[in-house]
């Protein structure tokens, strides 16, 4: 069964590349990038498979066990546009393949100076002989870095100015994971690609790691009443656990002791939050959004934009605004 699926996928990839991608590359004068384009075709198809699987599995669940009724279908549609851009645009993999040759050149220069770069293989000899163990170690290391990057997004004013777009969704749904400012996405993907390359992740492994991470994050943001119980939530991030991270004035805006402003920063594994004392195991499903979306007597409501381009522009304005506040 698996062999049949793999063979079918490879056949579709080869057909799409030969019939569409390769002629376009030759026409545009980019024939020297054909190998990268072939890998990009694979990633595009993986993105299509992700979208189909998410729609088949999560969309019915959102209808059967929703947390709330969707009140702004336009906002959900905008989230879907972000998903198409990030999943089908090969965002993460484009960054990975862009950095890979640069890092290879740097490694070569360091090697000439007698300096060997850090890799998990150097720290744990023989680890790459066990593919499953290697994959799990890579997943763990990358998720650890994701946790701290996520905390930085809430701790540094200019990063929060960009990342707050992600939190402005008041109708969380299965597409909301990709509701991110493009600059925020570039910074994140460059950071994680560098980490992956430094620890020795191969391109094929990286694609699989990213795909698994994205699928699980789609579940976390879905409008579903799902949790894994206290023991399960203490290990893996569930929709309820992550919803508390998006809770208005609680999950991402509170100034809890020992945190950079909030709770539940884990991306895949929630035990990082327990380990670094940022976990909150609420038993309810709270409303989501950003506190300053609501007007008060002290301040007007902040506009996060209704459309894609307005959201991007306002994100840049917030980045500058919060950077100035942080420097005072």
């Amino acid at each position: 069964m698996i062999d049949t699926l793999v063979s079918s996928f490879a056949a579709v990839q080869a057909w799409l590349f030969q019939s569409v991608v390769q002629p376009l590359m030759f026409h545009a004068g980019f024939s020297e990038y054909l190998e990268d384009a072939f890998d990009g075709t694979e990633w595009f198809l993986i993105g299509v498979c992700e979208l189909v699987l998410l729609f088949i599995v999560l969309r019915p669940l959102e209808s059967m066990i929703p947390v709330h009724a969707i009140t702004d279908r336009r906002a959900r549609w905008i989230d879907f546009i972000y998903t198409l851009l990030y999943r089908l645009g090969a965002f993460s993999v484009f960054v990975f393949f862009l950095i890979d040759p640069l890092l290879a050149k740097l490694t070569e220069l360091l090697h000439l100076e007698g300096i060997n770069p850090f890799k998990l293989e150097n720290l744990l000899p023989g680890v790459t002989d066990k593919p499953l163990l290697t994959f799990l170690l890579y997943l763990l290391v990358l998720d650890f870095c994701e946790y701290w990057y996520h905390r930085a997004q809430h701790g540094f004013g200019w990063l929060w100015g960009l990342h707050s777009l992600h939190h402005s969704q008041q109708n969380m749904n299965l597409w909301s994971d990709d509701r991110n400012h493009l600059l925020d996405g570039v910074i994140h993907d460059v950071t994680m690609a560098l980490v992956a390359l430094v620890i020795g992740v191969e391109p094929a492994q990286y694609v699989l790691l990213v795909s698994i991470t994205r699928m699980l994050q789609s579940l976390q943001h879905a409008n579903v009443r799902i949790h894994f119980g206290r023991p399960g939530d203490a290990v893996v991030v569930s929709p309820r656990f992550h919803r508390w991270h998006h809770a208005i004035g609680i999950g991402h805006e509170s100034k809890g002791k020992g945190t950079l402003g909030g709770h539940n920063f884990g991306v895949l594994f929630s035990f990082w939050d327990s380990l670094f004392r940022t976990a909150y195991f609420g038993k309810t499903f709270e409303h989501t959004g950003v506190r300053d979306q609501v007007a008060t007597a002290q301040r007007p409501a902040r506009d996060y934009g209704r459309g894609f381009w307005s959201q991007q522009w306002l994100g840049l304005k917030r980045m500058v605004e919060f950077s100035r506040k942080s420097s005072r």
Side-chain angles (χ1 to χ4, degrees), residues 146-160 163 260 265:
E146 287 272 20
Y147 169 85
W148 284 105
Y149 182 85
H150 195 184
R151 285 191 65 167
Q153 287 178 306
H154 290 260
F156 295 98
W158 66 276
L159 266 177
W160 170 247
H163 185 59
L260 296 178
F265 297 101

Side-chain angles (χ1 to χ4, degrees), residues 126-188:
V127 68
T128 53
D129 296 335
K130 303 173 182 177
L132 180 59
L133 177 59
T134 303
F135 183 83
L136 293 176
L137 282 174
Y138 286 153
L139 189 66
L140 196 64
V141 172
L142 288 172
D143 195 61
F144 174 77
C145 294
E146 287 272 20
Y147 169 85
W148 284 105
Y149 182 85
H150 195 184
R151 285 191 65 167
Q153 287 178 306
H154 290 260
F156 295 98
W158 66 276
L159 266 177
W160 170 247
L162 297 172
H163 185 59
S164 54
L165 168 62
H166 177 70
H167 282 269
S168 66
Q169 178 57 280
Q170 296 173 301
N171 286 255
M172 277 178 61
N173 60 87
L174 74 158
W175 312 121
S176 295
D177 172 50
D178 295 303
R179 182 189 180 96
N180 295 295
H181 196 281
L182 294 180
L183 180 56
D184 191 18
V186 169
I187 296 170
H188 168 270

Side-chain angles (χ1 to χ4, degrees), residues 62 68 70 79 166 169-176 220-224 239 242-243 246 288-289:
E62 286 191 326
H68 57 241
I70 297 295
D79 286 359
H166 177 70
Q169 178 57 280
Q170 296 173 301
N171 286 255
M172 277 178 61
N173 60 87
L174 74 158
W175 312 121
S176 295
Q220 295 163 12
H221 290 83
N223 180 32
V224 292
H242 191 66
R243 195 174 184 87
H246 281 259
T288 63

